Amino acid sequence: MGPTSRETWAQRLGTFRASPSAFMAGPEGEDLGRHLLSDLRSEKLSEPTKVSLLALSLEYPAQLWPDAPAAEAAATSLLDTLVLLPPRPSALRRPLLLAATTALAAGGALGPTSGASRRLLPLLLGLASGRDLGRSFGPASEQRPLQATAWECLRELESCKPGLLGGCLGLLRGLLGQEGPVQPLSLLLALALRNALVIQARARLGLQGLLVAGDCPTEGGSWNWMLAEEGDAHLQPQAPSWPAAEGGECCLATLELSPEEARELRAAVAQLLDASYLLTPVAQAQLLWLLGWALRGLRGQPPVLFKPQLVRLLGTAQLTLLHAVLALKAAFGEALFTAQDEALLLRRLTLAAQHPALPLPAHLFYLHCLLNFPENWPLGPAGEEAAPLLLGSQLCRGLLPSLLHDPMDLLARLHLLCLLCVEDEEKEKKGQDQSPRRYLEELLAGLRQRAALGGGPRALATLCFQASYLVARCLAGQPAVLTPLTHGLAQLYRARPALAPHFVDLLDRVGPELGEPLKVVLRQEVVSRPGRDEALRWHLQMLARVADGDAQSATLGFLQAAAARCTDWGLQQALLQVCRALLRAGVGGGLADLLQALARQLEDPDGRDHARLYYILLAHLEEPKLGVALGPSLAAPALASSLVAENQGFAAALMVQEAPAPIRLSVGPHRAKGPAPVLQLQVEVLEQVYSLELRFRVERQLYAPLGAVHMPCLCPGRPIRPLLLPLQPRRPAPASLAVRALYTTPSGLTCHAHLPPLLVNFADLFLPFPQPPEGAKLGFFEELWDSCLPKGTESRLWCPLGSHGLEALVSRHLEPFVVVAQPPTSYLIAIRLPPDSRLLLRLEAAQADGVPVALRTDDWAVLPLVGDYLRGLSAAG
């Protein structure tokens, strides 16, 4: 088979990207990777098309090379293609390097036993270092981009296989001072150094001369895999998360370095830091994190090496670099940052958070840094939230939240205000500004006032409850704040009962410090003010959450008064939900009378049945069993109650369960008659089923939706007539039908099953034209033949014949469509293709091995399908 055309690849790649899993499960998925590798060497495809194929291998390596052998073969083929490129400039060298690296890394084939690994690693190192191997690899104009790509590939391989480049640390150090890309080399050296330190520390070994320059492996030579085999593939990710690095810090503490090794390590770190100003801000931040992580737990390595960088970075306006500085402060604390440095950082963060010209994300970043500021000497237990000691009320005056702030900004400022309230022990002084606690109460009151506006935006109510939750979480131990908050929320509910869902959500999230008193005051609000009819459903929803064993008489009195106004199904269900909550809380007595009254007076039969069921449960089950029976899950311990077991059986019987397919379907002989094509399905019954319904879905919407086929009963061994499935093609093309069966088993369970897809071939769509009168057949065919042009198209091809000749081939496959026959050498055939196309064939002057075919059609899109069909006739027999 020749190479795939650019248009075919474009269509195939589009289908693949739309649903990679579905494409790989289809008939073309198995050979996609093989065809991709083969067409990369084709001279008929342009370089942009090949680059798009390589981009696919970079994005979906796991789908194309699902296991190590496939990844190894793919990497080998990609390297062979790379070597075969002509010496002229090409856009394929860098994508081929990236694709080979990705295949080995993603497929798990990278290792000492991999031939592709032994070829790729020396090649990448030679390209990166600019040795003779690299200079002879491509034209001079591509050396610089190839060098940068090689560094990136090596860093990716080192990330996937920690310790892979541990034996090249000395070489990498020597290259850092030479001409070439600084950023990728610096990041690779820092990553390899960090990995080597961790691996050697776990093995309780020193650096053993790894930082001293040595010979570089050449292609075909041996690569040092010792550190990579000892390394752990799950080292810390390259992200500034210092608390997560404590395990690595403890590990590094066991690393014993000789004085010479310690001196070499300091020199390597200083060399990297001195060149860091040449890197982009993001790369500098990553470099600082890697080096800080490596030195944090290492004994004998003072962090003073970072001091010159801090002098440069303390005044930076780059958020990534400021974040890296704070990460270093969290790592080394007072060993690297003085009290003056800490005060300077706090003042910078505070002033930047108030800057009016900064966008909202920058404001939120600075506020986040203040909320999580790493102090040199924090007070209180580790992990406890607290405002920095040097961050006083005067410094934070401009950070107080206001109702005019953006919601996210307001919440971040409110969080900081809550932390200040924790530290504030003094009461309001005369003649001075109000305390943070008083300001907090006024702010919450303003939020509640805006949320209480009838018809106001939903966002205002959401912000009010978010702020209330934040205050309850940060100030859970301060009753002086929670008490007015509780009463304020009760007043908010009184003014706007429609906020009941927000109150329910708040009660589900807050702790008992606010949750318990809030439940009490909300229950009092509900039972004392039933409200109008439009507020009744909100009262019932709230009461279903806050009802318990307390204040039973008031709650039951409210429910009895509300029962007369519950006229629709929704209100009745809400009322029954409150009864259910009281049942679970152990309320008896008056609840039984209420349930009996509801079972008689509710208009809806479902509501009466529920009330009757609750009454039966209340009368026959004790409190522990009653709580379990009304629980939200059926996975409760089995109880001596037939109601629970019966309920579980009912649930299983009502669920549609997935099961193996009870039948097999296959496509029978083609029926060439009628106004539309009909697919004849043969059924093989594997087990007895009832009420079978077959549902069909056409992939890619080539046909109109198909109707379901029903069969009342199927038994194994009984003859079954073929099922007829009418097709309504939107264009004449083959398709695949997904089949799903829904049926009932003899035991009464409803099941569904997925059957293998059915293929509709191109020939299954053929329909004959109405037969013309005798003597007019030739004229009828010639009229159809002339009508195809100029709108349609004409083509000629060679149809090979089998051993039986043309007459047998036409009789077996094309007999219903023959208009004029002059056997055994000439046939005129007219085929109708739904919905409104035609296909005309002239089979004339047959020879021993084949027959020339002239064809015309008014739909040029069917030409490839016709060619495939005619060429396959002789093979079909």
Side-chain angles (χ1 to χ4, degrees):
M1 181 183 294
T4 308
S5 66
R6 179 176 64 88
E7 293 78 10
T8 304
W9 268 118
Q11 182 181 6
R12 187 179 296 179
L13 295 184
T15 306
F16 178 87
R17 292 179 187 277
S19 178
S21 58
F23 185 91
M24 297 304 294
E28 297 183 350
E30 184 178 357
D31 297 328
L32 178 63
R34 180 171 57 83
H35 289 163
L36 185 149
L37 296 173
S38 174
D39 285 0
L40 285 175
R41 302 187 187 183
S42 171
E43 296 181 357
K44 296 183 178 181
L45 290 181
S46 62
E47 283 196 348
T49 302
K50 294 179 180 180
V51 170
S52 65
L53 299 183
L54 291 172
L56 187 76
S57 69
L58 293 175
E59 295 178 38
Y60 302 96
Q63 285 80 4
L64 295 174
W65 337 116
D67 50 31
E72 170 76 11
T76 301
S77 177
L78 291 168
L79 290 175
D80 292 341
T81 305
L82 180 64
V83 173
L84 293 175
L85 289 177
R88 64 174 182 271
S90 174
L92 296 178
R93 286 189 174 88
R94 296 175 63 196
L96 282 170
L97 281 176
L98 293 169
T101 302
T102 303
L104 287 175
L110 186 65
T113 61
S114 166
S117 301
R118 291 194 297 269
R119 292 176 59 187
L120 179 64
L121 290 172
L123 175 62
L124 291 175
L125 202 54
L127 287 171
S129 59
R131 296 177 313 170
D132 292 337
L133 175 64
R135 296 192 190 97
S136 61
F137 185 73
S141 60
E142 290 190 39
Q143 289 301 309
R144 189 81 173 190
L146 282 173
Q147 191 177 16
T149 301
W151 285 126
E152 294 297 334
C153 292
L154 288 172
R155 185 152 66 100
E156 185 67 24
L157 293 177
E158 174 66 22
S159 301
C160 298
K161 197 79 171 179
L164 180 66
L165 297 174
C168 303
L169 288 174
L171 173 66
L172 298 179
R173 281 190 62 196
L175 294 174
L176 187 59
Q178 300 179 9
E179 182 181 359
V182 177
Q183 178 166 304
L185 175 57
S186 300
L187 294 177
L188 175 61
L189 178 55
L191 176 63
L193 178 62
R194 172 254 192 185
N195 290 341
L197 288 173
V198 174
I199 294 171
Q200 294 296 87
R202 290 179 178 177
R204 298 186 179 274
L205 299 173
L207 289 178
Q208 299 178 334
L210 293 176
L211 291 174
V212 180
D215 295 333
C216 179
T218 58
E219 187 171 7
S222 61
W223 188 274
N224 184 3
W225 293 90
M226 184 177 301
L227 285 179
E229 291 176 346
E230 294 177 357
D232 182 6
H234 302 287
L235 292 178
Q236 282 292 314
Q238 300 180 43
S241 178
W242 290 106
E246 294 178 356
E249 176 188 359
C250 299
C251 173
L252 289 174
T254 63
L255 183 63
E256 295 288 345
L257 299 178
S258 65
E260 297 178 356
E261 292 175 340
R263 187 165 52 254
E264 290 292 335
L265 179 59
R266 286 195 295 271
V269 173
Q271 185 181 8
L272 286 168
L273 291 174
D274 290 343
S276 64
Y277 73 95
L278 298 172
L279 278 59
T280 63
V282 175
Q284 287 187 58
Q286 189 175 14
L287 179 72
L288 291 173
W289 183 86
L290 286 170
L291 296 180
W293 197 99
L295 296 184
R296 184 189 185 196
L298 202 58
R299 291 183 293 180
Q301 298 297 321
V304 71
L305 293 172
F306 293 96
K307 198 67 177 177
Q309 305 303 319
L310 293 182
V311 175
R312 177 173 64 90
L313 297 177
L314 279 177
T316 181
Q318 296 289 337
L319 300 186
T320 53
L321 291 178
L322 181 59
H323 199 200
V325 170
L326 293 173
L328 289 175
K329 189 177 189 312
F332 300 108
E334 68 279 0
L336 185 59
F337 290 79
T338 63
Q340 291 78 10
D341 295 334
E342 186 173 69
L344 175 62
L345 272 175
L346 277 174
R347 185 168 183 82
R348 276 212 60 211
L349 293 173
T350 305
L351 294 178
Q354 306 172 39
H355 200 291
L358 291 178
L360 177 61
H363 279 288
L364 296 178
F365 169 78
Y366 288 117
L367 289 170
H368 176 79
C369 292
L370 285 172
L371 292 170
N372 299 274
F373 188 79
E375 294 184 273
N376 285 348
W377 297 99
L379 298 180
E384 181 181 3
E385 281 190 323
L389 293 177
L390 299 179
L391 193 65
S393 301
Q394 295 298 324
L395 190 60
C396 288
R397 185 184 301 275
L399 292 178
L400 294 178
S402 166
L403 297 179
L404 301 178
H405 285 129
D406 181 87
M408 297 299 296
D409 194 13
L410 185 148
L411 291 175
R413 292 169 181 259
L414 177 62
H415 193 177
L416 184 61
L417 177 60
C418 291
L419 297 183
L420 293 176
C421 290
V422 174
E423 303 295 333
D424 182 55
E425 299 292 340
E426 299 180 356
K427 296 184 178 180
E428 185 178 349
K429 298 179 181 179
K430 295 183 179 180
Q432 297 183 0
D433 292 337
Q434 54 191 3
S435 67
R437 184 173 62 82
R438 179 64 60 86
Y439 187 89
L440 175 64
E441 292 177 1
E442 293 181 358
L443 175 69
L444 293 176
L447 289 173
R448 290 193 296 268
Q449 185 176 3
R450 294 199 307 178
L453 297 176
R458 184 183 181 88
L460 295 180
T462 302
L463 179 61
C464 173
F465 283 93
Q466 288 174 334
S468 301
Y469 168 76
L470 185 60
V471 172
R473 184 176 66 85
C474 295
L475 304 175
Q478 294 200 13
V481 175
L482 296 184
T483 300
L485 175 62
T486 303
H487 293 295
L489 289 173
Q491 294 173 0
L492 175 60
Y493 179 79
R494 182 189 312 161
R496 195 176 177 187
L499 297 178
H502 291 276
F503 281 96
V504 172
D505 182 64
L506 180 65
L507 288 171
D508 291 338
R509 296 176 183 273
V510 299
E513 294 84 2
L514 176 65
E516 293 303 323
L518 184 58
K519 285 173 58 177
V520 173
V521 296
L522 288 176
R523 185 175 61 244
Q524 293 174 352
E525 286 292 332
V526 171
V527 300
S528 61
R529 295 175 176 85
R532 298 178 299 275
D533 292 345
E534 58 268 18
L536 179 58
R537 64 188 183 103
W538 304 121
H539 293 325
L540 292 175
Q541 183 177 353
M542 178 61 66
L543 200 56
R545 178 60 181 83
V546 302
D548 53 22
D550 298 334
Q552 297 183 21
S553 58
T555 303
L556 292 173
F558 171 83
L559 294 178
Q560 290 171 352
R565 291 179 291 166
C566 293
T567 55
D568 61 9
W569 183 87
L571 288 175
Q572 293 175 15
Q573 292 299 313
L575 179 63
L576 290 169
Q577 285 296 323
V578 181
C579 296
R580 182 188 180 96
L582 293 175
L583 274 175
R584 297 183 63 183
V587 177
L591 180 59
D593 298 334
L594 175 63
L595 290 173
Q596 281 185 317
L598 293 177
R600 291 191 302 267
Q601 73 183 46
L602 289 181
E603 298 179 1
D604 183 65
D606 183 58
R608 293 197 301 270
D609 291 343
H610 271 80
R612 192 176 297 109
L613 172 63
Y614 292 159
Y615 176 77
I616 294 173
L617 292 176
L618 178 62
H620 292 83
L621 294 181
E622 297 179 356
E623 183 176 342
K625 295 181 179 180
L626 184 61
V628 174
L630 294 172
S633 174
L634 291 175
L639 300 174
S641 169
S642 60
L643 286 173
V644 177
E646 186 179 3
N647 190 25
Q648 293 176 347
F650 286 157
L654 292 175
M655 291 177 61
V656 179
Q657 306 175 17
E658 187 170 5
I663 62 172
R664 289 196 188 102
L665 283 183
S666 59
V667 180
H670 177 44
R671 291 166 46 94
K673 59 177 66 176
V678 176
L679 204 62
Q680 194 168 223
L681 304 179
Q682 306 287 349
V683 182
E684 180 185 356
V685 182
L686 304 179
E687 58 183 77
Q688 185 174 358
V689 294
Y690 299 95
S691 302
L692 175 68
E693 178 180 285
L694 296 176
R695 299 178 180 177
F696 302 89
R697 181 175 58 85
V698 187
E699 297 181 1
R700 297 189 297 171
Q701 298 183 349
L702 293 173
Y703 301 168
L706 303 179
V709 177
H710 299 84
M711 300 188 73
C713 178
L714 292 179
C715 297
R718 291 185 182 178
I720 303 174
R721 293 181 179 179
L723 302 179
L724 302 181
L725 179 65
L727 303 177
Q728 299 179 24
R730 290 177 172 145
R731 60 188 179 92
S736 177
L737 305 183
V739 187
R740 183 173 175 235
L742 191 69
Y743 60 94
T744 302
T745 64
S747 59
L749 296 180
T750 302
C751 301
H752 74 94
H754 293 278
L755 279 67
L758 298 176
L759 297 180
V760 181
N761 297 317
F762 180 54
D764 293 330
L765 306 178
F766 290 180
L767 294 172
F769 279 92
Q771 285 294 329
E774 289 294 335
K777 293 185 177 181
L778 182 59
F780 174 72
F781 181 85
E782 293 296 342
E783 183 180 352
L784 291 176
W785 183 265
D786 295 337
S787 66
C788 289
L789 295 180
K791 174 185 175 184
T793 183
E794 181 177 358
S795 180
R796 296 179 181 272
L797 53 86
W798 180 262
C799 177
L801 297 177
S803 57
H804 301 290
L806 178 59
E807 186 175 4
L809 183 142
V810 172
S811 175
R812 182 183 298 269
H813 299 287
L814 298 170
E815 180 66 29
F817 316 107
V818 175
V819 179
V820 179
Q822 295 178 0
T825 60
S826 176
Y827 295 90
L828 303 182
I829 297 172
I831 301 174
R832 189 161 56 88
L833 297 175
D836 53 0
S837 302
R838 61 189 62 176
L839 171 64
L840 305 176
L841 306 175
R842 287 183 181 269
L843 285 70
E844 298 175 328
Q847 301 178 18
D849 58 342
V851 58
V853 180
L855 67 89
R856 283 188 181 182
T857 177
D858 57 356
D859 186 358
W860 63 267
V862 304
L863 285 180
L865 301 174
V866 176
D868 293 340
Y869 169 71
L870 292 177
R871 282 187 288 268
L873 288 181
S874 61

